[in-house]
Structure formats: structure tokens, C-alpha cells
């Protein structure tokens, strides 16, 4: 059976990916320290899966722990091996991911994100496990150009969060024996199978509304904030800037449904397992831009709920446009998003409506 360790499995994208993998026959070791997530997410994943209780008992192990704990990581690999089910791949989500926070807590971001990945890679190497799908981010591109970003574009992160992601990509390329992180597909002379997936703006929720985006503290991202206005816990949305060089003056982003992103991880894992050693660095985006004002209109249309808003000045670190050229994802992963922005609005509201306090 294909055994996979998923780090950060209880997070937004981790939980949706765990569900997709479970329903595709994988055996999963789900690791999370629950510092920014809830064990309930994994219980709901189990409920949503097509597996019986007995099959779940055989196919899912939930481990409460930190990816920086080498002894714990080794114990997970050893236990699996002693049960005759070797862990052959890892999907690595665990890490801190708030752009603004990364300025105030830069050391924590370097420790969690970079040191955590080093510990994980050491244990993987010691257990002859050389398949990894890494959760990267479009933030590595830095202040984006006024065009769709492609994988060969310059890497110039403008915040500590993006710098940790770019550093990890460079580390993975180096370990794979590859020279660059500006090429979408390279042969790995050192026998690693690595996929770095650069997310644009993941949003939405599983259509059941049982799992979704559950920011532990005050959210920074647009979708949870719009949903808080919709549910009434926030009086109005603040739109950061109306003087951007865009058609309506507000920021444009590439929103991609979290279920599409989860399916993109399965596609990458399946390709790595079935192919020769290689390093893939791929954009996961829709290639379609939606401005903040556009999104407010689409959310109102999709849900029938009015979203009052007020303009303020621009937010530090923001750029006018962040948009993917997703052609390499189609070429190398045979992946493209199936869901539209209206599906994202509908599913994110369905999650928020059914879980006004998230997993609390
Ligand atoms: C989107 C747009 C804001 C809030 C970040 C990370 C990225 C990824 C996704 C992890 C911008 C505007 C927002 C608000 C607003 N995370 N906005 N009012 O900054 O594009 O990307 O989250 O991988 O790495 O950088 O997402 O949702 O914060 O902002 O007007 O209250 O909405 O100015 O134009 P962002 P976001």
C-alpha cells in the first residue's frame, strides 16, 4: 500500500488533501502540532471519507507532534516499517504562513519552516524516503509583475515568510542535485523525487461544509474576513487601497478552490511515485484574476448576502496583481482547476455558515 506522511495535516490545505488521498487508497500518517489547527479537522476528514470505521483504523494514524522533533519523526518511520508498511512519500505542509506576522516573528518562521524542513529531510534520508511534495507559495516571486507569473520568473521574496519558502525550495533543489529553482522540471541526478507547489490564493472549503479555513487568530486573508462580515462577527470589510493600477483600482488575485489545490497535491504525488527522479516546481493557480471589488460582488451574488465595505490606504507588502500562468501544472501534472470563483464563494460561505466559530 502507498504509505504517506503528511505534516501539518490538520491545516486548511492539509486536511483537504488528506481527504483526497484517503479516498484514493493511500495509508496516511497525519502529523500536526495543532499550534494553528484543530484535531477536529482530522476527525471530520475521517467522517467525510468513503472508508468504514475498520478501514480507517487500518489506514489512518494521527500523531500530535512537531516536525522539528527528529526522534518523533524517526519513531513514525520505524513503527510503520515494523508493521510492514514503509513510508515512501511525504507531503510537507507544516509551517507558519502569515505574511504580516513573519515580520514580527522572523526567528520563529526560520525555525518552524526552514529548521523543521531540515529535520524532516534528515529523517527521510535516513529511512531511504526520497519522495516529497512541498507546500510552497507564490509569495516567493515577491512584488509580482503586472503579468501572469511563470515558474522561470525571478525569485525575489519581500517578506520573511516568502524568504523561508524560497530558501526551502533552494535547499530541495540542492539536495536533488539540481541547479535552479527557476525551471519547472529538472532531472534529479541524486535520486530525489520532489515537487514544490507554489500556491496562489487558496480559498473555499469542502462542499459538505464540514472542513474549511479555520484561522486560529484574527485572520489576515480576504476570504475569512469576507465570511466574518457575512456571518455578522465583523461590521464591514476594509478594502486596502482603491488606487492600484488595475481596472477598478483594487488588488487583483488568483483565487483557487482548496479542493482543486488538494487534487493538485495528489496529482503531484502520483506523478512522483510513477516517474524517474526529478524536481518539479509548479504554480498552482487558476490563471484568472479577480479584484477585491469583483470578489465582493461575486460573493454577494453567490450567497445573497450584502457585504458592506470601506476603503482604507494600501496594506504594507501588498502588490497590485498576483496571477498565475498555470500552463506547467497542466503540462507536467495534467492538472487544472475545475471549480470557479462562484464555487469558492458558495463553499466558503457554506463552511462559515455551518461553523460560525470554526472548529471551536
Ligand atoms: C488578497 C487581496 C489585499 C484583506 C497571502 C499570502 C500568500 C498566501 C495567500 C500563504 C489583497 C486585499 C485583504 C482585507 C483587503 N498565503 N485585502 N482587505 O496577500 O494576496 O496572499 O495569502 O501561502 O502567500 O501572501 O492574500 O487574502 O491577504 O489579500 O482589501 O481585509 O485582498 O490587499 O489585494 P494575499 P490576502
Amino acid at each position: 500500500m502507498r504509505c504517506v506522511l503528511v505534516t501539518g495535516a490538520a491545516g486548511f490545505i492539509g486536511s483537504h488533501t488528506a481527504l483526497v488521498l484517503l479516498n484514493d487508497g493511500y495509508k496516511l500518517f497525519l502529523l500536526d502540532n495543532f499550534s494553528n489547527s484543530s484535531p477536529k479537522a482530522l476527525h471530520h476528514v475521517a467522517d467525510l471519507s468513503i472508508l468504514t470505521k475498520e478501514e480507517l483504523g487500518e489506514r489512518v494514524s494521527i500523531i500530535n507532534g512537531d516536525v522539528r522533533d527528529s526522534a518523533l519523526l524517526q519513531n513514525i518511520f520505524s513503527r510503520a516499517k515494523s508493521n510492514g508498511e514503509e513510508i515512501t512519500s511525504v507531503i510537507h505542509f507544516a509551517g507558519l504562513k502569515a505574511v504580516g506576522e513573519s515580520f514580527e516573528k522572523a526567528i520563529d518562521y526560520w525555525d518552524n519552516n526552514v529548521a523543521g524542513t531540515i529535520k524532516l529531510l534528515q529523517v527521510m534520508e535516513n529511512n531511504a524516503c526520497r519522495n516529497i511534495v512541498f507546500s510552497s507559495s507564490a509569495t516567493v516571486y515577491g512584488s509580482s509583475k503586472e503579468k501572469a507569473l511563470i515558474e522561470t520568473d525571478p525569485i525575489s521574496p519581500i517578506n520573511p515568510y516568502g524568504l523561508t519558502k524560497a530558501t526551502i525550495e533552494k535547499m530541495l533543489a540542492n539536495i536533488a542535485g539540481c541547479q535552479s529553482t527557476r525551471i519547472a522540471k529538472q532531472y534529479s541526478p541524486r535520486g530525489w523525487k520532489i515537487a514544490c507547489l507554489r500556491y496562489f490564493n487558496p480559498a473555499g472549503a469542502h462542499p459538505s461544509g464540514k472542513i474549511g479555513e479555520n484561522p486560529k487568530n484574527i485572520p489576515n486573508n480576504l476570504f475569512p474576513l469576507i465570511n466574518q462580515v457575512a456571518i455578522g462577527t465583523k461590521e464591514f470589510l476594509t478594502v486596502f487601497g482603491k488606487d492600484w493600477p488595475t481596472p477598478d483600482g483594487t488588488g487583483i488575485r488568483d483565487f483557487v478552490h482548496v479542493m482543486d489545490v488538494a487534487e493538485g497535491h495528489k496529482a503531484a504525488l502520483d506523478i512522483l511515485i510513477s516517474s524517474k527522479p526529478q524536481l518539479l516546481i509548479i504554480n498552482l493557480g487558476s490563471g484568472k484574476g479577480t479584484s477585491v471589488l469583483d470578489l465582493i460582488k461575486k460573493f454577494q451574488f453567490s450567497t445573497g448576502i450584502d457585504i458592506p465595505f470601506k476603503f482604507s490606504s494600501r496594506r504594507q507588502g501588498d502588490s497590485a496583481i498576483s496571477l498565475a500562468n498555470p500552463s506547467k501544472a497542466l503540462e507536467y501534472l495534467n492538472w487544472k482547476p475545475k471549480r470557479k470563483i462562484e464555487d469558492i464563494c458558495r463553499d466558503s460561505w457554506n463552511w462559515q455558515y455551518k461553523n460560525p466559530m470554526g472548529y471551536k
Side-chain angles (χ1 to χ4, degrees):
M1 181 171 290
R2 299 166 295 175
C3 297
V4 183
L5 167 63
V6 182
T7 75
F12 178 37
I13 300 169
S15 53
H16 288 78
T17 302
L19 177 60
V20 168
L21 293 179
L22 264 186
N23 287 345
D24 192 60
Y26 282 88
K27 177 177 174 64
L28 301 182
F29 295 82
L30 304 176
L31 174 68
D32 205 303
N33 67 6
F34 303 115
S35 63
N36 190 24
S37 56
S38 165
K40 284 185 185 169
L42 297 179
H43 300 146
H44 293 178
V45 166
D47 295 343
L48 283 169
S49 78
I50 57 175
L51 304 184
T52 62
K53 282 242 178 298
E54 189 187 1
E55 287 168 331
L56 282 167
E58 292 159 8
R59 300 257 298 276
V60 180
S61 299
I62 295 176
I63 305 112
N64 177 350
D66 194 301
V67 73
R68 293 166 291 182
D69 181 346
S70 303
L72 172 68
L73 289 176
Q74 181 52 54
N75 182 268
I76 295 170
F77 275 85
S78 305
R79 271 181 28 223
K81 203 174 282 184
S82 63
N83 292 332
E85 286 142 347
E86 205 153 345
I87 294 174
T88 50
S89 303
V90 174
I91 301 188
H92 182 32
F93 292 106
L96 301 178
K97 61 160 193 162
V99 167
E101 183 189 57
S102 75
F103 286 99
E104 297 137 39
K105 300 182 176 175
I107 295 173
D108 287 346
Y109 274 68
W110 285 95
D111 186 27
N112 277 273
N113 296 2
V114 178
T117 304
I118 291 170
K119 300 277 186 170
L120 173 65
L121 291 168
Q122 285 168 332
V123 174
M124 287 177 67
E125 175 82 327
N126 295 342
N127 291 275
C129 174
R130 295 182 157 194
N131 288 9
I132 180 169
V133 177
F134 170 61
S135 164
S136 191
S137 168
T139 316
V140 302
Y141 290 114
S143 51
S144 60
K145 319 286 171 294
E146 305 319 328
K147 68 175 184 64
L149 288 158
I150 52 176
E151 289 80 357
T152 51
D153 273 338
I155 301 303
S156 55
I158 55 173
N159 54 65
Y161 163 70
L163 195 51
T164 64
K165 292 292 186 180
T167 302
I168 295 165
E169 285 189 355
K170 281 196 171 51
M171 197 164 68
L172 290 169
N174 188 257
I175 289 164
C178 300
Q179 301 316 314
S180 165
T181 58
R182 291 179 58 181
I183 303 170
K185 179 172 181 174
Q186 300 169 79
Y187 166 68
S188 164
R190 302 181 63 82
W192 281 77
K193 298 181 175 184
I194 300 173
C196 297
L197 303 182
R198 291 175 179 167
Y199 313 149
F200 279 71
N201 288 65
H206 185 270
S208 68
K210 283 181 177 269
I211 54 176
E213 191 165 8
N214 179 54
K216 200 124 190 169
N217 310 310
I218 298 171
N220 297 307
N221 283 11
L222 182 58
F223 255 96
L225 289 163
I226 286 184
N227 278 300
Q228 286 188 356
V229 173
I231 199 93
T233 54
K234 203 173 157 53
E235 193 189 347
F236 59 86
L237 177 76
T238 302
V239 177
F240 295 134
K242 59 177 178 182
D243 57 351
W244 292 100
T246 60
D248 67 14
T250 63
I252 292 175
R253 291 298 182 270
D254 183 329
F255 296 102
V256 54
H257 199 292
V258 65
M259 286 307 294
D260 283 320
V261 175
E263 289 162 7
H265 284 75
K266 185 182 103 55
L269 188 59
D270 290 345
I271 290 278
L272 290 183
I273 290 171
S274 61
S275 311
K276 291 192 179 63
Q278 59 185 308
L279 169 64
L280 293 171
I281 299 180
I282 305 287
N283 288 341
L284 281 197
S286 70
K288 295 186 180 68
T290 305
S291 77
V292 179
L293 287 183
D294 273 346
L295 183 63
I296 292 170
K297 288 181 197 125
K298 288 188 185 332
F299 188 92
Q300 292 177 149
F301 177 77
S302 305
T303 62
I305 298 172
D306 189 40
I307 301 294
F309 64 89
K310 291 180 181 165
F311 288 107
S312 80
S313 54
R314 297 179 178 185
R315 176 176 67 176
Q316 183 198 11
D318 266 353
S319 56
I321 298 176
S322 175
L323 188 58
N325 171 332
S327 57
K328 294 301 178 192
L330 185 59
E331 182 180 352
Y332 295 133
L333 303 182
N334 191 28
W335 175 89
K336 63 179 182 179
K338 298 179 199 139
R339 299 152 182 97
K340 304 187 301 295
I341 190 72
E342 289 78 10
D343 302 314
I344 295 175
C345 293
R346 182 199 62 227
D347 292 341
S348 75
W349 169 239
N350 185 41
W351 150 256
Q352 182 74 79
Y353 176 71
K354 290 179 177 175
N355 306 274
M357 302 306 288
Y359 291 119
K360 286 191 188 82

